[in-house]
């Protein structure tokens, strides 16, 4: 049997996905050990391989067919814009993509001023401001702790995901506009979907039943 390979976005999404895989008869016990430094795991009996990767790399592995199936947030899928099939919303990892900043920054969004927007999601931010709001902005790419940007004067606002809202609250920031909801999605390589259709469709059906 040919292996089916899964790429999972490291962190909370992977933990929830591994629980779900276990519930649907695809246990990968070794992978749930938080101390392991191993990168790829195999279930010989079921013909499965799974690996964890940085979330922004999951769509890349899946587009190139290095993984047949991926589990990754909708935020990353939208940002990466890779060619793959998005087949299932798993309903966990829920959060929102938002424009955030100090409450006073709301004015800048109304009057179409040229403002600076710091974000880990430059494509998403560009699309929102240019195509939806028709506002000219300067996008500043950051790699983390984006909430710092308006506090230290790097930008007027940020585009980032908000889950509990704690990071914003603890830093005196607020949601100014909501861009879109986000949750964990299952994605499939386009060739794998054709070549291993029956096997992949069964997995999707089982996952769908388990999350519905
Ligand atoms: C994410 C996101 C926010 C925070 C939102 O950051 O970029 O900073 O979580 O969560 P909250 O609304 O529950 O506070 P992450 O923890 O991934 O770290 P990073 O900013 O360094 O990427």
């Amino acid at each position: 049997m040919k292996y089916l390979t899964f790429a999972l976005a490291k962190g909370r999404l992977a933990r929830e996905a591994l629980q779900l895989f276990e519930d649907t008869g695809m246990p990968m016990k070794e992978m749930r050990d938080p101390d392991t430094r191993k990168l790829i795991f195999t279930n010989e009996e079921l013909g499965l391989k799974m690996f964890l990767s940085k979330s922004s790399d999951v769509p890349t592995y899946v587009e190139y067919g290095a993984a047949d199936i991926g589990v990754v947030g909708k935020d990353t899928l939208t940002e990466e814009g890779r060619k793959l099939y998005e087949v299932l919303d798993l309903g966990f990892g829920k959060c929102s993509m938002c424009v955030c900043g100090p409450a006073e920054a709301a004015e800048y969004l109304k009057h179409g001023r040229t403002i600076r927007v710091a974000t880990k999601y430059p494509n998403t931010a560009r699309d929102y401001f240019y195509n939806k709001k028709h506002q000219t902005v300067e996008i500043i790419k950051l790699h983390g702790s984006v909430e710092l940007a308006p506090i230290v004067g790097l930008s007027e606002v940020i585009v980032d995901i908000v889950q509990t809202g704690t990071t914003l609250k603890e830093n005196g920031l607020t949601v100014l506009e909501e861009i879109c909801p986000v949750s964990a999605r299952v994605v499939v390589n386009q060739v794998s979907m054709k070549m291993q259709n029956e096997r992949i469709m069964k997995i999707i059906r089982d996952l769908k039943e388990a999350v519905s």
Side-chain angles (χ1 to χ4, degrees):
M1 179 164 48
K2 194 183 172 304
Y3 285 106
L4 261 190
T5 303
F6 288 66
L8 312 181
K10 250 186 230 173
R12 216 187 120 226
L13 284 196
R15 283 194 292 279
E16 296 223 30
L18 286 169
Q19 181 61 56
L20 180 63
F21 291 154
E22 196 167 318
D23 297 345
T24 50
M26 300 188 291
M28 299 296 282
K29 289 233 161 57
E30 233 191 318
M31 225 173 153
R32 298 178 73 179
D33 171 3
D35 297 323
T36 184
R37 301 293 296 163
K38 226 172 119 172
L39 293 172
I40 185 151
F41 301 84
T42 308
N43 182 324
E44 297 290 353
E45 208 183 316
L46 299 176
L48 300 178
K49 282 186 191 288
M50 288 196 194
F51 64 85
L52 300 177
S53 83
K54 201 172 148 65
S55 71
S56 53
D57 293 337
V58 169
T60 313
Y61 284 111
V62 175
E63 181 184 299
Y64 283 90
D68 303 290
I69 298 177
V71 176
V72 64
K74 179 70 178 171
D75 53 331
T76 306
L77 284 179
T78 307
E79 180 62 23
E80 297 299 315
R82 293 280 176 183
K83 266 195 242 145
L84 31 77
Y85 296 129
E86 183 186 322
V87 295
L88 183 61
D89 183 345
L90 291 173
F92 55 73
K94 279 195 175 156
C95 51
S96 296
M97 183 65 71
C98 298
V99 181
C100 311
E104 314 82 76
E107 281 305 302
Y108 305 145
L109 300 173
K110 275 190 221 138
H111 300 129
R113 243 184 59 178
T114 300
I115 51 169
R116 293 165 301 171
V117 180
T119 185
K120 288 186 279 189
Y121 302 92
N123 296 327
T124 306
R126 199 172 295 113
D127 178 61
Y128 181 68
F129 279 99
Y130 282 83
N131 300 331
K132 306 225 167 67
K133 280 182 68 79
H134 306 290
Q135 181 171 5
T136 306
V137 292
E138 182 182 347
I139 308 279
I140 303 173
K141 163 95 187 193
L142 288 178
H143 295 89
S145 304
V146 177
E147 290 83 357
L148 263 176
I151 300 173
V152 298
L154 177 66
S155 70
E156 281 70 39
V157 299
I158 62 173
V159 164
D160 200 8
I161 50 168
V162 178
Q163 192 164 26
T164 61
T166 311
T167 314
L168 291 180
K169 203 168 160 212
E170 291 193 1
N171 292 288
L173 304 174
T174 184
V175 171
L176 301 171
E177 289 177 358
E178 218 167 305
I179 300 178
C180 62
V182 168
S183 56
R185 306 295 161 99
V186 177
V187 292
V188 179
N189 170 267
Q190 296 187 338
V191 176
S192 306
M193 190 60 135
K194 286 199 188 76
M195 305 303 285
Q196 306 222 57
N197 188 267
E198 219 172 290
R199 218 174 148 201
I200 292 176
M201 289 310 289
K202 175 168 184 340
I203 291 173
I204 296 168
R205 273 199 306 277
D206 290 350
L207 294 174
K208 195 170 181 178
E209 205 182 300
V211 295
S212 63

